[in-house]
Amino acid sequence: MTDAVGFRAPTDWKTDAMQKRIRKRYRAERRFRALGLAAVAMSAAFLIFLLAVMVGNGAAGFMRTEVALPIDFKAAPLDIDRAQLATRGADLALAGAGLQDRVATAATAAFGEKGEELIAENAWTAVRDAIKADPNLLSQRAHVWVPASSDLDAAADGGGEPAMQAEVRKLRERGALQSGFNAGFLSRADSTDPTAVGIWGAFKGSLLTMLVTLLIAFPIGVLSAVYLEEYAPKNRWTDLIEVSINNLAAVPSIIFGLLGLAVFLGTFGLPRSAPLVGGLTLALMIMPVIVIAGRNAIKAVPPSIRDAALGIGASRVQVVFHHVLPLALPGILTGTIIGMARALGETAPLLLIGMRAFIVTPPGGVFDPATVLPVQIFLWSDEVSRGFIEKTSAAIIVLLVFLLAMNALAIYLRNRFETRW
Amino acid sequence: MTQVDFADTAETSAAPAVAPGVPKMAAQGVNVFYGEKQAIRDVSIDVNMENVTAFIGPSGCGKSTFLRTLNRMNDTVASARVEGLITLDGENIYDKTMDVVQLRARVGMVFQKPNPFPKSIYENVAYGPRIHGLARAKGDMDQIVERSLKRAGLWEEVKDRLQDSGTALSGGQQQRLCIARAIAVDPEVILMDEPCSALDPIATAKIEELIHELRGRYAIVIVTHNMQQAARVSQRTAFFHLGTLIEYGETDQIFTAPRQERTKDYITGRYG
Amino acid sequence: MNLYALLFLVTGLGVIAWLTGRARAARYGAASKHRLHSLPGQHGLYVAMWTVIPALFFVIIWSIFTPNLATEAVLRDPQAFALPAFGYEREAVLNEIRARAAGSEYGFYPAAEQLAPVYLQASRFYSWIGTGIAILLAFACGAFAYTRIRADFRARTRVERTVMLALLVASLIAILTTLGIFLSLLFESLRFFAMVPITDFLFGTTWSPQVIDPADPGATLGAVPLFWGTFFIGAVIAMLVAIPFGLMSAIYLTQYAKPVVRKWMKPMLEILAGVPTVVYGYFAALTVGPAIRDFAVSLGFTYASSESALAAGLVMGVMIIPFVSSMADDSIAAVPSAMRDGSLAMGATSSETIRKVLLPAALPGVVAGVLLAVSRAIGETMIVVMAASGAANITANPFESATTVTKQIVDLLTGEAEFDSPKTLAAFALGLTLFLITFLLNIVALRVVKKYREAYD
């Protein structure tokens, strides 16, 4: 086909060369698509692997192993006045009567020379609580379930040293080993002994910190969003505010820690390690998140609604507070929850303002020394004792459950109330 | 495949793939659904070579939707479903063996809003030939670009700034660039979806002139809401209403002696 | 009086003020021939505002000063003359006095036990004075506002003006925070640079804050190894993971995935983004680090560290994937669909359309996203604190250990060092550097994003 004309003949798509080329293009297409799928799949696989490792390690952290300790108060009665057991001084009285030593001796008597290593350091408190619950124990020979030491605990989960595993086998044969849900893990605070730790202390610290954060960041964030979206004149000041907010949203969190250290602790002299300071620091950190979410939600409210309200004589403040804000509220709340979830998982700035203290009693208020969940995780992850690995993972599971719940709530709110104008 | 030399004034003698009188594209009993909603009801229509066919009708009547079924652009809408038979040179274009990439190279499309790629003018035109491998050498590509721009009547305006961005052109120029881009792969059919609706009257006149010149080389289908335009540029006109084809015939006949009452009402401006 | 009780009381007074103000305005409305300018409720708000706001301000300021006033009172007590005049012990005793006054029963200093009641008494005294003034203030201001109620009084305008003021103040807090960060970092850094020459800090290649020679503190405080480690882990290794994976995920989810897949995979990525960094850090230290060491040893790198740069960078990269993905997602979505249609209508395949039309068009947005991702990676703290080493090496071997600016800030500030040493102040100098670099990255990226959005709007 040769013709010296301005229009080429239609391309012949059926030639071999063309067909080959098209097959090649389709191969490239499939390859590219597969790459995309692989990227998503790898991200998913990583997430699943991470969660699996945490659950695998952490599940044991919610369980505890108990040993049945035979103890004979009939043969050798404890020197104590029973009337005291009903009073508030019972703990002191039992401790004074040498209960701790008695428990240790009982362990040696029952399980041999190394018996003391099988039960937890605070095992005697379990005996103490048993006696308080049933004073008749003091005249009996009885078995009391006491927490196992962390080495025995690890061995019972299938790890640990061979010697301990042998002990586990022996105890199992005697039926002197049981494991159950470790309720104490959810109700206690930090401790040096991994079998005695709990996350309630850190959790309460987190709650108090979040409360302060919410009370400060939410009003400021919403008001600032309203101002910028509804009233701010277009000038350099407004630009400056906008740049500040957008930049603050991307400033590394540790910088906020330095700010808290220098300003809240240094200049204002607020107490170290207090949820108040942690909350203030995190509030400054998540405020931009709330502002940005708030502005987007307000922007999504159609101008016709403002016009309608202005048209019947509402003032500009009334328009915003009666019409725009209620309509934008779901979006603002979604942003706030996401910001709060970020604050709940934040660690670095709180390390700098001293919320890494060893807190044995849960904080009572926002001025008390406290730690928070993520920092507690960090502290436990640093511990050498093997028993802390499962506790760290268990605490991570608790933290993740809360974060997931918050994010799920945000997604629910977004889907439930999102209005398409 | 033979490369042919470009001569602006010469007439074509290349035989169309289909003998005159046999429809280039034919649709039979076509239904289109978006999810549950039916957008096109039982449309049958033939499109002939060397003709300009205009689709007219009030907005939302389905004329654009139907146009997009002709080169399977509806495939890009996840909820869209097409039933019925549409053929190109007697081949069912919805058949499994039909390659949608080739189909779209053969059935080009020009959109309502000019949509040049954010690339240079040259690269915009060269894009199609490049992905389809139509140019063997650098010289070939230059030739294709020049010829396509000339045919789109844009060459004189842009020949000195081929490396400028396509988005820097005026609206009318952008639309002619998009036409040049479509021509560059030597399509057999060109679909135009309200190509002038975003343009001013002068630019519109240029595009209409261009459609006149292109007629004869391609089967052209143009969707328009402007009845004068349909009367000016087309030989055959189809009137759509509420997703059905009401009337299809010679343009003169449709505008002077419509057979259907609804066509008459629309043309005389009773509704629309 | 307890602070909480006082706040409660003031709020209660506010409610009462609102009710009385509203009632009075309503009476005026009923009696007057003219219509009220503002609704009774707005008059009520006006009175309530006057009642609550000044009193509240006073309470806040007073409660900041009370501890200092009480401490002064303690120091005036004859028993306090025996206290050491300055230094650590004096502070410790004073702290213990405050703790005991707050109810603590444990103590170390006998002096504290004696002085605690003095402190308690003084702080009670001042707190009662504060309460009295606050209540007086509430009543006085409330009464003033109450007397101003007239039929033609523009209560609504006044209330709204206050609301506008509150809005303006709230939005200024962002600027104040930025300024606060910059000034506090700058101030502490200047103190640091008074002890250590800035050139030593910026260009020195030896970093070992554990051994500081008092005569020449700059010799072991050269931050170049930290800058290199930060760049290597955050901007190189992490990005090598995050950019390809994030970009391809975004492309797959926006262009290819069926709606069902997208519906499940997008939240999955959001979860990945929502996992706290301390969890990533723990995972990196517990699982990834040792695995990479074993791998490296099997390759013949016998010196490989379990705190390798690769472990921290890899996990950091995974953490950043969702971020890059969502930025790329936004940029690609911002490209008008007409571009995509135009390309598809030419007979291009999806991948050709994406690679040759969508990505080039979205490039500015993607680049800005990558800049923000880098800013995030180099500011990331917990992963490197837990998984990277403290050894400041300049190395390009990913199996060796490297340390970062953020890790050093944490290490420097959590030791038991005094506040004014070059060691602690160095943390602020590092913080200032980090802030300035991320600030620059953020500003450039935000500019690009803004320009890019405008181009397609």
Side-chain angles (χ1 to χ4, degrees):
Chain A
M1 292 204 298
T2 25
D3 34 20
V5 291
F7 292 84
R8 300 195 311 176
T11 312
D12 186 357
W13 295 96
K14 299 240 157 41
T15 58
D16 277 353
M18 256 322 170
Q19 289 298 322
K20 212 172 139 195
R21 198 169 180 285
I22 282 179
R23 278 199 298 276
K24 208 175 120 203
R25 286 171 65 195
Y26 274 119
R27 271 202 305 280
E29 170 75 20
R30 279 194 299 275
R31 219 167 30 235
F32 191 71
R33 194 190 163 111
L35 271 179
L37 183 61
V40 177
M42 292 277 280
S43 311
F46 183 91
L47 180 66
I48 292 169
F49 182 49
L50 186 147
L51 292 180
V53 167
M54 292 307 152
V55 171
N57 281 331
F62 290 106
M63 308 296 283
R64 70 168 181 182
T65 312
E66 293 180 332
V67 180
L69 178 71
I71 190 163
D72 190 356
F73 291 114
K74 202 172 170 186
L78 209 58
D79 180 22
I80 190 168
D81 177 8
R82 288 217 188 174
Q84 272 187 301
L85 292 180
T87 66
R88 287 177 62 185
D91 287 2
L92 221 56
L94 282 166
L99 184 62
Q100 190 167 3
D101 289 342
R102 284 294 299 278
V103 170
T105 337
T108 326
F111 309 123
E113 222 170 281
K114 294 203 163 176
E116 247 186 282
E117 289 172 23
L118 299 185
I119 59 171
E121 272 175 58
N122 65 348
W124 70 277
T125 58
V127 180
R128 179 190 73 194
D129 294 345
I131 294 175
K132 281 200 301 186
D134 178 15
N136 289 329
L137 271 182
L138 284 176
S139 53
Q140 284 171 2
R141 194 172 185 284
H143 287 272
V144 180
W145 288 102
V146 298
S149 71
S150 87
D151 288 345
L152 187 70
D153 194 38
D157 293 336
E161 297 155 29
M164 273 297 168
Q165 284 176 344
E167 294 288 350
V168 167
R169 273 193 299 279
K170 253 194 277 175
L171 287 170
R172 284 235 166 91
E173 278 161 24
R174 286 165 59 174
L177 207 62
Q178 73 173 15
S179 68
F181 181 66
N182 185 358
F185 182 67
L186 298 178
S187 64
R188 280 194 296 255
D190 203 358
S191 163
T192 47
D193 178 3
T195 59
V197 298
I199 54 164
W200 173 242
F203 186 73
K204 199 171 172 201
S206 273
L207 280 184
L208 289 168
T209 308
M210 289 299 104
L211 187 72
V212 175
T213 304
L214 183 66
L215 286 180
I216 292 169
F218 182 70
I220 294 180
V222 173
L223 292 181
S224 181
V226 167
Y227 179 77
L228 288 175
E229 208 49 55
E230 296 285 331
Y231 304 115
K234 279 262 160 264
N235 60 25
R236 291 167 82 188
W237 276 103
T238 310
D239 284 349
L240 198 64
I241 295 177
E242 271 194 50
V243 170
S244 298
I245 287 176
N246 290 335
N247 176 57
L248 277 183
V251 163
S253 62
I254 192 168
I255 299 284
F256 287 94
L258 288 173
L259 174 75
L261 178 62
V263 174
F264 297 139
L265 298 186
T267 312
F268 293 161
L270 293 172
R272 249 179 109 75
S273 310
L276 177 70
V277 181
L280 280 169
T281 308
L282 293 180
L284 293 182
M285 194 185 89
I286 69 160
M287 195 253 300
V289 178
I290 299 179
V291 176
I292 292 170
R295 290 187 67 176
N296 288 335
I298 292 171
K299 211 179 281 174
V301 177
S304 60
I305 288 186
R306 294 178 184 83
D307 294 346
L310 284 172
I312 55 169
S315 72
R316 285 177 72 204
V317 172
Q318 286 171 329
V319 170
V320 168
F321 284 87
H322 293 175
H323 298 281
V324 177
L325 264 190
L327 291 171
L329 202 59
I332 298 176
L333 285 182
T334 309
T336 307
I337 295 171
I338 289 171
M340 292 299 288
R342 214 180 120 187
L344 179 61
E346 195 55 71
T347 320
L350 302 180
L351 288 182
L352 298 194
I353 55 162
M355 292 190 83
R356 55 183 293 158
F358 176 65
I359 305 295
V360 192
T361 44
V366 293
F367 294 98
D368 292 353
T371 187
V372 294
L373 260 184
V375 176
Q376 186 74 80
I377 290 167
F378 170 66
L379 292 175
W380 285 349
S381 77
D382 248 9
E383 295 281 345
V384 208
S385 166
R386 270 197 55 84
F388 272 106
I389 291 184
E390 59 181 48
K391 297 300 171 190
T392 311
S393 301
I396 285 176
I397 293 172
V398 173
L399 180 62
L400 286 180
V401 165
F402 272 92
L403 289 177
L404 262 182
M406 286 170 83
N407 280 309
L409 181 65
I411 290 172
Y412 169 78
L413 270 178
R414 188 167 64 199
N415 293 343
R416 171 81 173 70
F417 292 104
E418 190 175 55
T419 324
R420 295 246 171 261
W421 300 99
Chain B
M1 195 185 78
T2 326
Q3 277 299 318
V4 289
D5 287 311
F6 170 69
D8 211 14
T9 49
E11 268 301 304
T12 179
S13 64
V18 184
V22 175
K24 182 75 185 167
M25 293 194 83
Q28 276 165 31
V30 172
N31 292 297
V32 180
F33 300 87
Y34 287 124
E36 293 295 299
K37 215 179 126 249
Q38 188 164 7
I40 294 291
R41 284 166 206 280
D42 193 25
V43 169
S44 300
I45 203 167
D46 291 345
V47 173
N48 292 321
M49 210 57 197
E50 300 185 25
N51 257 344
V52 177
T53 308
F55 291 174
I56 61 169
S59 53
C61 68
K63 52 193 193 299
S64 288
T65 302
F66 183 68
L67 189 78
R68 291 168 67 96
T69 62
L70 297 180
N71 70 342
R72 291 184 53 177
M73 278 305 281
N74 276 330
D75 290 11
T76 61
V77 182
S79 62
R81 189 158 50 85
V82 179
E83 284 173 3
L85 182 68
I86 301 177
T87 58
L88 174 65
D89 292 342
E91 281 178 88
N92 180 5
I93 66 168
Y94 281 90
D95 192 79
K96 267 197 215 99
T97 57
M98 172 56 75
D99 177 13
V100 69
V101 162
Q102 281 182 19
L103 170 73
R104 288 181 189 153
R106 291 170 67 189
V107 183
M109 189 162 196
V110 176
F111 294 83
Q112 185 168 2
K113 229 180 114 198
N115 58 348
F117 302 134
K119 298 167 180 282
S120 70
I121 293 169
Y122 183 95
E123 283 302 321
N124 260 286
V125 181
Y127 180 74
R130 194 161 278 159
I131 58 173
H132 291 297
L134 300 185
R136 293 287 139 76
K138 167 81 175 143
D140 280 0
M141 189 58 85
D142 288 350
Q143 217 173 39
I144 292 175
V145 169
E146 182 176 344
R147 182 174 47 218
S148 307
L149 283 170
K150 273 190 175 149
R151 219 171 301 156
L154 195 59
W155 177 249
E156 291 303 320
E157 292 160 62
V158 300
K159 66 179 176 198
D160 300 325
R161 47 181 182 131
L162 289 176
Q163 295 311 319
D164 285 11
S165 169
T167 51
L169 296 172
S170 74
Q173 287 173 324
Q174 284 188 12
Q175 194 63 299
R176 277 180 284 149
L177 177 62
C178 291
I179 293 174
R181 190 175 70 187
I183 294 172
V185 287
D186 295 308
E188 296 153 44
V189 181
I190 299 179
L191 309 175
M192 296 186 173
D193 189 358
E194 306 198 21
C196 306
S197 66
L199 305 181
D200 62 68
I202 293 171
T204 301
K206 279 201 172 148
I207 302 272
E208 286 182 11
E209 202 179 314
L210 179 58
I211 293 172
H212 256 303
E213 282 168 20
L214 295 176
R215 180 196 148 214
R217 335 283 183 196
Y218 313 100
I220 295 177
V221 183
I222 177 169
V223 162
T224 175
H225 59 259
N226 179 335
M227 280 174 289
Q228 283 74 26
Q229 186 173 59
R232 280 195 301 268
V233 302
S234 73
Q235 284 73 52
R236 295 179 72 78
T237 297
F239 172 59
F240 284 80
H241 186 229
L242 297 177
T244 36
L245 177 63
I246 305 297
E247 193 170 350
Y248 181 40
E250 296 292 329
T251 301
D252 287 348
Q253 172 256 311
I254 294 277
F255 280 93
T256 53
R259 295 197 185 92
Q260 298 288 330
E261 201 59 27
R262 270 187 285 177
T263 317
K264 196 172 143 198
D265 287 349
Y266 180 67
I267 285 166
T268 53
R270 296 274 170 81
Y271 63 89
Chain C
M1 193 184 225
N2 187 315
L3 185 66
Y4 300 112
L6 186 55
L7 291 180
F8 188 74
L9 183 72
V10 170
T11 317
L13 284 178
V15 173
I16 295 170
W18 181 68
L19 289 172
T20 49
R22 196 179 63 153
R24 179 173 161 107
R27 273 202 309 282
Y28 265 112
S32 159
K33 292 193 288 291
H34 303 288
R35 233 160 49 89
L36 279 173
H37 170 269
S38 307
L39 294 174
Q42 289 156 346
H43 286 275
L45 267 182
Y46 176 72
V47 180
M49 231 169 56
W50 266 105
T51 312
V52 173
I53 294 175
L56 220 52
F57 258 102
F58 175 78
V59 169
I60 291 170
I61 291 168
W62 189 255
S63 62
I64 290 173
F65 283 110
T66 314
N68 287 340
L69 289 172
T71 310
E72 290 295 315
V74 168
L75 294 178
R76 277 197 305 275
D77 191 273
Q79 293 179 69
F81 297 153
L83 287 182
F86 295 104
Y88 176 76
E89 203 184 339
R90 181 187 174 94
E91 283 304 310
V93 175
L94 288 175
N95 277 336
E96 197 181 309
I97 291 173
R98 285 187 206 111
R100 277 177 177 275
S104 158
E105 286 172 14
Y106 306 99
F108 187 71
Y109 299 101
E113 199 177 348
Q114 290 161 4
L115 283 168
V118 181
Y119 181 87
L120 199 61
Q121 201 188 0
S123 66
R124 281 220 181 103
F125 173 71
Y126 286 117
S127 136
W128 277 112
I129 288 189
T131 308
I133 300 180
I135 292 173
L136 270 180
L137 207 59
F139 270 108
C141 296
F144 164 73
Y146 186 76
T147 56
R148 296 189 67 181
I149 296 177
R150 296 274 182 280
D152 59 349
F153 180 67
R154 303 187 164 212
R156 199 198 71 225
T157 328
R158 305 273 171 154
V159 172
E160 288 182 353
R161 218 175 281 164
T162 317
V163 170
M164 290 296 278
L165 193 70
L167 293 179
L168 183 63
V169 169
S171 59
L172 286 179
I173 287 184
I175 293 188
L176 281 182
T177 309
T178 309
L179 216 62
I181 289 175
F182 181 66
L183 290 182
S184 62
L185 291 180
L186 187 70
F187 181 67
E188 304 290 342
S189 299
L190 286 178
R191 285 172 61 195
F192 174 70
F193 291 131
M195 299 181 214
V196 176
I198 188 165
T199 45
D200 282 8
F201 173 72
L202 285 181
F203 305 115
T205 53
T206 310
W207 177 268
S208 86
Q210 297 81 12
V211 278
I212 294 179
D213 175 9
D216 181 17
T220 54
L221 288 175
V224 169
L226 312 190
F227 298 152
W228 167 252
T230 307
F231 175 77
F232 187 50
I233 293 177
V236 179
I237 301 179
M239 288 306 125
L240 284 179
V241 177
I243 295 174
F245 278 87
L247 203 55
M248 287 311 291
S249 301
I251 288 171
Y252 184 79
L253 290 179
T254 54
Q255 306 294 320
Y256 286 114
K258 291 199 184 76
V260 179
V261 179
R262 195 160 47 229
K263 197 177 148 201
W264 285 98
M265 281 303 164
K266 274 195 106 160
M268 189 280 295
L269 280 179
E270 280 171 25
I271 292 176
L272 206 56
V275 172
T277 55
V278 68
V279 177
Y280 280 113
Y282 184 57
F283 184 67
L286 184 76
T287 311
V288 181
I292 285 178
R293 191 215 29 233
D294 295 347
F295 174 67
V297 168
S298 75
L299 285 184
F301 295 95
T302 43
Y303 49 80
S305 157
S306 69
E307 297 184 321
S308 58
L310 186 58
L314 212 62
V315 174
M316 194 187 279
V318 172
M319 186 193 85
I320 308 269
I321 287 175
F323 186 76
V324 173
S325 164
S326 90
M327 292 296 292
D329 192 335
D330 288 351
S331 318
I332 293 173
V335 178
S337 62
M339 300 272 162
R340 187 164 160 262
D341 285 357
S343 173
L344 290 175
M346 303 284 303
T349 62
S350 296
S351 67
E352 286 162 350
T353 303
I354 294 162
R355 280 184 288 130
K356 296 187 175 154
V357 176
L358 294 188
L359 279 187
L363 197 64
V366 173
V367 168
V370 168
L371 288 184
L372 285 177
V374 169
S375 150
R376 205 163 230 236
I378 65 176
E380 166 48 38
T381 310
M382 289 323 290
I383 293 178
V384 287
V385 164
M386 295 167 85
S389 114
N393 300 324
I394 301 185
T395 171
N397 181 344
F399 296 124
E400 273 188 64
S401 53
T403 192
T404 71
V405 169
T406 49
K407 174 165 173 68
Q408 290 303 320
I409 292 177
V410 171
D411 284 359
L412 290 173
L413 286 178
T414 49
E416 300 297 323
E418 61 275 40
F419 201 72
D420 283 341
S421 72
K423 194 176 154 190
T424 15
L425 289 176
F428 286 93
L430 288 175
L432 183 66
T433 320
L434 180 65
F435 176 70
L436 290 179
I437 289 174
T438 53
F439 183 76
L440 215 68
L441 283 171
N442 297 343
I443 295 291
V444 171
L446 293 169
R447 272 273 155 88
V448 173
V449 168
K450 203 172 167 196
K451 276 249 166 79
Y452 167 72
R453 294 257 158 81
E454 279 163 3
Y456 285 122
D457 267 348

